[in-house]
Amino acid sequence: MQYFEALARSRHFARAAEAVHVSQPALSAQIMEMERRLGVKLFDRSRSGVYPTPLAERLLPAVMRILNETRAVEEMAESSAGLLAGKLRLGIIPTIAPYVLPALVPRAAARYPQLEFEIREGLTGSLVDALLAREIDLVVAALPVSGSGLQSRFLWRDKFVIAKTPGATDVLAGPVAADDIPASRLLLLAEGHCLRDQALDVCGLRQEGKVFNFEATSMATLVQLVSSGMGLTLLPEMAVPFENRDGALELVEFAEPCPSRDIGLIWRSSSERVADYEALGELITAVLSAGAEKKAA
């Protein structure tokens, strides 16, 4: 039923297989076995795509209810096994993941040896959809996140700095007001990244309809472009020790009040594992605090 739900929702064998962590041939075989057992055709397959039959469309709500109830039972069992014991499916956005996970995973394993992490990196929108569909248990992202049936907890305020090529005259020595950043030189992440939206808001450019001539898909790409003299970018402080370890960037601080993003946890309001999420939140906060102390030293 899980494979049926994934294929009915995505209407694409490869995406469905990725969502349920199996190979495409394995998913296809299971769908055919389900059709054989039921004695009906559930999907129309053509060159243009995969489409649920009318019967499959009627079955989907019932299948989703069964899966949700099954996942709720599993969650109740996991919550009774002890604090952070058993499987925890964590979603995390790519502008946080590389700066938190390398320290978080071994720390969590040492403190909670019964914890089994499943980690999914993705953009906020897709992670929230997966959370509501019970495909993951918890999301680490920038707050606020909209959506009914969700709860969140603030973890950390991550300040922004301006990153530029050493000696570049785009921005003078800090502290710098956001209004003084030259929009034509600002490099951003692509559409869909919340850090892009935050940068637009910080610089007051969202209403101006500015068009940028380059949009990167990763923070590492932005840093390489800036270090090559192609422009400026906004860098979260948690990223500085990782993205500027070789000192190729000059960092300029903002004038107060310094713009920032709030990092937090998001979970379903109906979840039985709030104590687990609170414990994981304390671990993440400890990792970020240790990083900040190391940077200050």
Side-chain angles (χ1 to χ4, degrees), residues 145-244:
V145 170
S146 60
S148 60
L150 297 177
Q151 283 188 276
S152 63
R153 173 190 166 178
F154 168 82
L155 295 179
W156 192 260
R157 180 149 293 158
D158 190 23
K159 294 182 179 180
F160 291 117
V161 296
I162 304 166
K164 68 170 185 171
T165 307
T169 58
D170 302 90
V171 175
L172 301 179
V176 172
D179 292 343
D180 293 334
I181 298 176
S184 61
R185 295 282 289 161
L186 188 64
L187 301 175
L188 298 177
L189 290 172
E191 288 281 357
H193 287 269
C194 58
L195 190 58
R196 170 193 170 87
D197 298 329
Q198 292 152 1
L200 290 173
D201 289 336
V202 165
C203 301
L205 302 175
R206 188 182 294 279
Q207 286 78 30
E208 296 183 21
K210 298 285 186 182
V211 177
F212 304 91
N213 59 8
F214 188 89
E215 296 177 353
T217 58
S218 73
M219 187 71 70
T221 301
L222 280 182
V223 168
Q224 290 299 316
L225 293 172
V226 171
S227 65
S228 299
M230 290 185 63
L232 313 167
T233 196
L234 266 63
L235 201 60
E237 273 195 334
M238 71 165 61
V240 170
F242 298 85
E243 304 296 354
N244 196 36

Side-chain angles (χ1 to χ4, degrees), residues 99-183:
Y99 318 125
V100 170
L101 292 180
L104 173 65
V105 172
R107 184 178 292 219
R111 187 164 180 181
Y112 300 102
Q114 301 303 313
L115 175 63
E116 179 187 347
F117 262 133
E118 283 189 8
I119 297 173
R120 179 188 300 190
E121 187 179 80
L123 300 183
T124 302
S126 64
L127 292 178
V128 169
D129 288 344
L131 180 64
L132 292 172
R134 292 183 177 269
E135 295 172 7
I136 56 177
D137 303 309
L138 184 67
V139 172
V140 180
L143 301 176
V145 170
S146 60
S148 60
L150 297 177
Q151 283 188 276
S152 63
R153 173 190 166 178
F154 168 82
L155 295 179
W156 192 260
R157 180 149 293 158
D158 190 23
K159 294 182 179 180
F160 291 117
V161 296
I162 304 166
K164 68 170 185 171
T165 307
T169 58
D170 302 90
V171 175
L172 301 179
V176 172
D179 292 343
D180 293 334
I181 298 176

Side-chain angles (χ1 to χ4, degrees), residues 25-94:
L27 182 135
S28 180
Q30 289 297 317
I31 292 296
M32 288 190 289
E33 175 63 14
M34 186 176 182
E35 290 177 323
R36 186 191 68 78
R37 284 174 175 266
L38 295 176
V40 295
K41 188 176 183 181
L42 297 173
F43 294 94
D44 290 320
R45 303 157 176 86
S46 68
R47 290 184 178 180
S48 61
V50 182
Y51 303 96
T53 63
L55 174 61
E57 295 279 14
R58 295 198 302 273
L59 288 175
L60 181 59
V63 168
M64 292 179 66
R65 283 195 299 271
I66 293 170
L67 288 174
N68 282 337
E69 290 173 3
T70 301
R71 289 165 183 156
V73 170
E74 291 172 346
E75 195 172 80
M76 291 173 66
E78 288 163 350
S79 68
S80 68
L83 195 62
L84 284 177
K87 183 185 297 183
L88 192 147
R89 301 167 300 174
L90 177 68
I92 187 166
I93 61 175

